[in-house]
Structures are given as structure tokens and as C-alpha cells.
């Protein structure tokens, strides 16, 4: 669970984030939607302690193996990072490595043996579509779509309790977009983890999200349940009026 209270961030006179109270529950797929400048990426960067908030708090609650719950803010310590998988942009990649080298590195710093790294990557073989692994290419030389795939896989392969993805459908071909929707829905259902995505692709967001937050000028102006696409009409009316 993620609890946001009085979270604020301004850039000069521009309000980038102003969220008095918002809770993201375990097991939800939350879609963040909004026009350019609505504050989606800013919110993600605040959640990941990549930006310093002007005020307010973010609190993560993670279930522990002993049955207890770890409640921690991202500014308090580094302990929350082992429970989070995120991909915001290419800055999250080490582009002078091959994908195989990159995942071996992530395994080493996460205490995952190489044999298990290799095993975990097999579950992404269809999504990778023989275009990422075994190509002897550095990440920097991959296409934009394949870089996106590496980033998405890196966010998931450690089996985190919370996954944060910014515009994950960008640069992916239609087949990969469909596979990604199934991948994210299956991951949330099988693990009970929270998945948060932002996307300009309204159709894909409606297809996979159990809940949708509509942002405008840094504020969440609508919090919509989305059982069987129930948020579609309201969202289409909102964006159609812009």
C-alpha cells in the first residue's frame, strides 16, 4: 500500500503536484492519465525519491515474510528500494552493457544467483521476442522499443511488491503492447503486487487498470473505479472536451 498525504511540488509558479490525500491499495493496477503537464511523471519521481517534495509525505507499507508490515517513507532509508521495481526512462538503464550483462548486474546487487537470474528471464521470452537476448548488442544500440522492453523487464524480474512504469506502451509495436497488457495483469493477479502505470494510451490504460486517477495541474481531480472498463465513458468525455 502507498499512502500520500499533503504531497506538494512546485517549479517556480507552476504547481507540479498537489495531492492532499490518496491511497493506492495492494493488488491494484492503478492507471494515471492526464494531458501533457498534468504531473504524472513528477508524481512518479516523488514516489521514487528522485525529486525532493516541497511538503507532505509518502509512506509505503510492505508485507514482510514474518507476517509483519514495514511502513517506511522513501526519504527515511534505503530499505524500501528492495520492494520496488520501476522504469521511468533510459536513465534507469546501464546502456554500455548488453542486456545479459545488465541483468547479471541487477542480480548481483539484489543477491540473486546467476542461475536464478537466467530462470527468471525465461518468463519474459515471448515479450522479448528474440530481439533482446542473444543479439550481442549493447543496450545503447537497441531500438527504442527494445530499450523499453529491457526497462520493463528490469522493473519486474526481481518480483517487487510495487511496480511503477511511466508510459510503458511507448515505442512498442502492436503485438508487444498486447503482450505487455497480459504481462502486467498476470503479474498483479499472481503476486498480489501493486502496479502503477502512466500512459497517454487511454485504451490500454482502461483495458488493464482496476482503478484510474485523472490528473490535472498536479492534482487528482477524479478517482475512478474501472471494473470492466466502467471509467471509459467519463474519461472519453473529459478528453473529448479538451
Amino acid at each position: 500500500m502507498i499512502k500520500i498525504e499533503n504531497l506538494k511540488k512546485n517549479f517556480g509558479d507552476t504547481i507540479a503536484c498537489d495531492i492532499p490525500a490518496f491511497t493506492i491499495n495492494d493488488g491494484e493496477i492503478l492507471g494515471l492519465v492526464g494531458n501533457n503537464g498534468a504531473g504524472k511523471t513528477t508524481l512518479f519521481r516523488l514516489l521514487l525519491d528522485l525529486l525532493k517534495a516541497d511538503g507532505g509525505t509518502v509512506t509505503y507499507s510492505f508485507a514482510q515474510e514474518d507476517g509483519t508490515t514495514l511502513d517506511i517513507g522513501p526519504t527515511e532509508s534505503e530499505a524500501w528500494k528492495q520492494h520496488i521495481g520501476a522504469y521511468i526512462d533510459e536513465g534507469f538503464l546501464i546502456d554500455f552493457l548488453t542486456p545479459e550483462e545488465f541483468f547479471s548486474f541487477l542480480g548481483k546487487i539484489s543477491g540473486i544467483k546467476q542461475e536464478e537470474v537466467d530462470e527468471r528471464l525465461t518468463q519474459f521470452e515471448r515479450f522479448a521476442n528474440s530481439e533482446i537476448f542473444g543479439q550481442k548488442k549493447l543496450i545503447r544500440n537497441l531500438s527504442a522499443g527494445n530499450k523499453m522492453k529491457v526497462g520493463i523487464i528490469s522493473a519486474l524480474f526481481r518480483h517487487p511488491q510495487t511496480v511503477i512504469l511511466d508510459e510503458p506502451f511507448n515505442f512498442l509495436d502492436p503485438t508487444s503492447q498486447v503482450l505487455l497488457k497480459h504481462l502486467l495483469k498476470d503479474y498483479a493477479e499472481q503476486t498480489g503486487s501493486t502496479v502503477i502505470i502512466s500512459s497517454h494510451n487511454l485504451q490500454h490504460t482502461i483495458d488493464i487498470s482496476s482503478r484510474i486517477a485523472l490528473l490535472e495541474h498536479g492534482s487528482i481531480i477524479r478517482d475512478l473505479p474501472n471494473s470492466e472498463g466502467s471509467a471509459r465513458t467519463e474519461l472519453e468525455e473529459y478528453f473529448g472536451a479538451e
Side-chain angles (χ1 to χ4, degrees):
M1 182 173 72
I2 306 172
K3 188 175 183 179
I4 297 170
E5 296 182 292
N6 298 314
L7 191 63
K8 297 180 183 294
K9 181 65 181 179
N10 294 345
F11 296 107
D13 295 331
T14 301
I15 299 173
C17 183
D18 184 5
I19 303 176
F22 192 68
T23 299
I24 306 168
N25 300 307
D26 293 338
E28 286 187 324
I29 299 181
L30 176 71
L32 296 183
V33 297
N35 289 316
N36 289 335
K40 303 183 296 296
T41 300
T42 296
L43 176 56
F44 279 170
R45 291 189 176 277
L46 290 168
L47 292 177
L48 295 170
D49 197 30
L50 298 174
L51 277 176
K52 182 179 179 180
D54 295 328
T57 60
V58 173
T59 303
Y60 290 108
S61 295
F62 298 115
Q64 303 294 286
E65 292 182 358
D66 61 3
T68 62
T69 300
L70 171 66
D71 295 323
I72 190 168
T75 61
E76 295 175 21
S77 78
E78 302 289 304
W80 61 278
K81 291 185 177 181
Q82 63 183 304
H83 303 285
I84 300 282
Y87 183 67
I88 306 298
D89 55 39
E90 291 182 22
F92 280 57
L93 304 176
I94 305 176
D95 68 359
F96 58 82
L97 300 178
T98 67
E100 289 89 344
E101 291 169 340
F102 178 57
F103 285 105
S104 292
F105 171 76
L106 292 181
K108 287 179 181 178
I109 64 174
S110 303
I112 303 172
K113 294 181 179 180
Q114 185 61 47
E115 294 80 5
E116 187 174 354
V117 170
D118 296 339
E119 176 61 28
R120 291 188 183 198
L121 290 177
T122 61
Q123 65 187 293
F124 302 107
E125 285 180 347
R126 190 178 179 197
F127 181 56
N129 192 32
S130 302
E131 297 174 335
I132 295 173
F133 302 113
Q135 302 304 302
K136 298 182 179 180
K137 284 186 178 182
L138 302 180
I139 292 173
R140 66 172 58 145
N141 295 327
L142 296 176
S143 68
N146 285 333
K147 288 178 184 176
M148 178 64 73
K149 289 182 180 182
V150 172
I152 292 168
I153 294 170
S154 72
L156 293 170
F157 108 109
R158 292 188 301 115
H159 303 165
Q161 293 185 41
T162 298
V163 177
I164 296 175
L165 299 172
D166 194 13
E167 297 290 350
F169 297 102
N170 277 3
F171 309 117
L172 299 185
D173 59 47
T175 296
S176 297
Q177 291 178 20
V178 172
L179 289 173
L180 177 58
K181 288 194 290 186
H182 288 295
L183 183 63
L184 294 178
K185 289 185 73 171
D186 289 347
Y187 183 81
E189 291 173 1
Q190 293 170 9
T191 65
S193 299
T194 302
V195 177
I196 312 171
I197 69 165
S198 74
S199 180
H200 283 125
N201 191 309
L202 198 60
Q203 181 63 57
H204 289 336
T205 305
I206 292 170
D207 285 346
I208 69 169
S209 300
S210 55
R211 180 184 177 196
I212 296 178
L214 174 58
L215 278 74
E216 185 178 282
H217 303 304
S219 297
I220 296 174
I221 61 171
R222 300 183 196 177
D223 181 6
L224 305 173
N226 189 45
S227 176
E228 298 182 358
S230 59
R232 183 185 309 277
T233 299
E234 188 167 347
L235 291 171
E236 288 179 348
E237 288 176 354
Y238 171 83
F239 287 107
E242 292 296 311

